[in-house]
Amino acid sequence: MRARVLPALAATLPLALGGCAAQRQVLLGRPSVPPVAADAPAPSAVPPAMAWLYGSGEAAALSEQAYNGMVRYVRDVLDRARDRRGRLPSQRRAGTLPRWPASAVLMPGATAASAETVPCGTLPPAVVLDMDETAVLNLGYEYDDAQAPHAWDQQRWERWERAGATKVGAVPGAVAAFRALRAMGVTMIVNTNRSAANADQTAQALANAGLGDFRHGETLFLKGDVDGKSGKDGRRAAIAARYCVLALAGDQLGDFADLFNPPGPAPAVGRRMLTAVGPIEARWGNGWFVLPNPVYGTGLGAGWDETFPADKRWKDAP
């Protein structure tokens, strides 16, 4: 049933790739909440979503699982791409077989129903990841937000980017994965919607988390780079022109393709269905790796009707 219905549904949704206005607000925003008075007492308990993501063993295990799967997947791709002399495509002359598989980056204009990816040729291998809550945990920012919840404030986030580089930690599994992938000759690239004005502080935060050195425009891509947009497809395309991107990782669907965040209203139920369209469904765990994040982002907008289908509801009748 799903194989027949979902591609047809996908054809009715706005699937063309493109930038999403105010992507930073979408991806780092919170549901609208009233500000807390300055003299209000701190909450007696950590908000459940934060307690789960930043404190639970289950969240840590899921993150480790995602990174272990990524390392295993990339290692398998590298092994399959080697020739009899052990050389990778990027170590041989162009036109010499075997080649890399197609990139994990979708072609410009691709849709969920087709999901064609960029060819790699003999480009050197890379992995592209989001930063916040994918590679780095914003512990300092979330502590402040847990103490006094705020509606989304871009200026507040900018202050965090500038001042919070020492108050972050690595997502469980990230440090070991970055080291293992680099040891295989894979370039690690971060593609984030942090501000280009704070590039130095962002690079420092990544280093402080134990993830190594990153250079803006080379291994660190920020909001507005390449095409001036907050959507990440333009940056992904620019990276894919220089590297064979073997894997993508993120905590939001927009970290994989802008088609998940089309202009205008994007009902949660439609985005959820897109993840199960045949060509897209096959990519989860096979080049695309999702990290857990119940604290903020595009996944938190579902209402009652979208979350609980009418034909699956039950009421207790003792």
Side-chain angles (χ1 to χ4, degrees):
M1 176 66 73
R2 181 171 59 194
R4 293 195 299 271
V5 172
L6 288 178
L9 172 64
T12 69
L13 296 172
L15 301 181
L17 292 180
C20 178
Q23 181 92 347
R24 164 57 69 194
Q25 291 175 313
V26 170
L27 295 187
L28 284 173
R30 272 53 170 189
S32 180
V33 295
V36 175
D39 58 351
S44 59
V46 178
M50 292 185 185
W52 187 87
L53 181 60
Y54 302 111
S56 79
E58 287 81 357
L62 280 174
S63 296
E64 295 274 6
Q65 178 175 273
Y67 274 111
N68 287 342
M70 175 191 290
V71 171
R72 184 166 53 248
Y73 174 83
V74 171
R75 183 183 293 114
D76 289 346
V77 171
L78 295 175
D79 289 345
R80 291 197 305 271
R82 296 183 191 278
D83 64 12
R84 292 180 180 179
R85 298 182 183 180
R87 297 175 300 181
L88 294 171
S90 53
Q91 298 168 330
R92 303 191 299 273
R93 290 177 301 157
T96 304
L97 297 177
R99 293 190 175 194
W100 296 114
S103 171
V105 175
L106 297 186
M107 289 278 289
T111 69
S114 59
E116 303 95 340
T117 57
V118 176
C120 278
T122 57
L123 295 171
V127 166
V128 177
L129 310 93
D130 175 52
M131 178 175 172
D132 299 303
E133 277 57 59
T134 293
V136 167
L137 295 176
N138 292 292
L139 295 171
Y141 181 90
E142 299 301 342
Y143 170 79
D144 184 62
D145 205 45
Q147 292 284 302
H150 292 75
W152 170 251
D153 180 350
Q154 179 66 30
Q155 295 305 312
R156 181 168 175 252
W157 177 259
E158 293 274 354
R159 292 193 295 273
W160 162 250
E161 288 187 8
R162 292 191 295 270
T166 63
K167 306 299 183 182
V168 299
V171 168
V175 171
F178 276 50
R179 289 175 180 168
L181 290 166
R182 286 186 173 121
M184 298 177 201
V186 176
T187 298
M188 305 302 290
I189 298 175
V190 169
N191 184 12
T192 171
N193 268 342
R194 287 192 175 213
S195 171
N198 301 323
D200 290 345
Q201 296 95 325
T202 293
Q204 189 59 55
L206 288 161
N208 290 345
L211 300 175
D213 296 329
F214 291 84
R215 293 178 61 86
H216 185 202
E218 297 179 11
T219 53
L220 175 62
F221 288 79
L222 299 162
K223 182 181 180 181
D225 286 350
V226 178
D227 59 5
K229 296 179 180 179
S230 55
K232 294 184 175 182
D233 275 348
R235 282 169 266 162
R236 277 186 285 262
I239 296 167
R242 296 163 55 184
Y243 293 93
C244 179
V245 180
L246 301 181
L248 297 169
D251 64 311
Q252 309 287 333
L253 294 180
D255 296 327
F256 303 93
D258 287 352
L259 65 84
F260 292 110
N261 296 321
V269 66
R271 298 173 73 255
R272 184 179 177 91
M273 288 183 176
L274 283 182
T275 66
V277 173
I280 294 294
E281 180 185 44
R283 298 198 175 279
W284 306 118
N286 292 301
W288 289 7
F289 297 87
V290 184
L291 280 293
N293 184 359
V295 175
Y296 63 81
T298 55
L300 303 184
W304 285 98
D305 290 341
E306 296 164 322
T307 305
F308 300 103
D311 65 339
K312 298 296 187 292
R313 297 176 187 178
W314 177 81
K315 287 187 178 296
D316 187 19

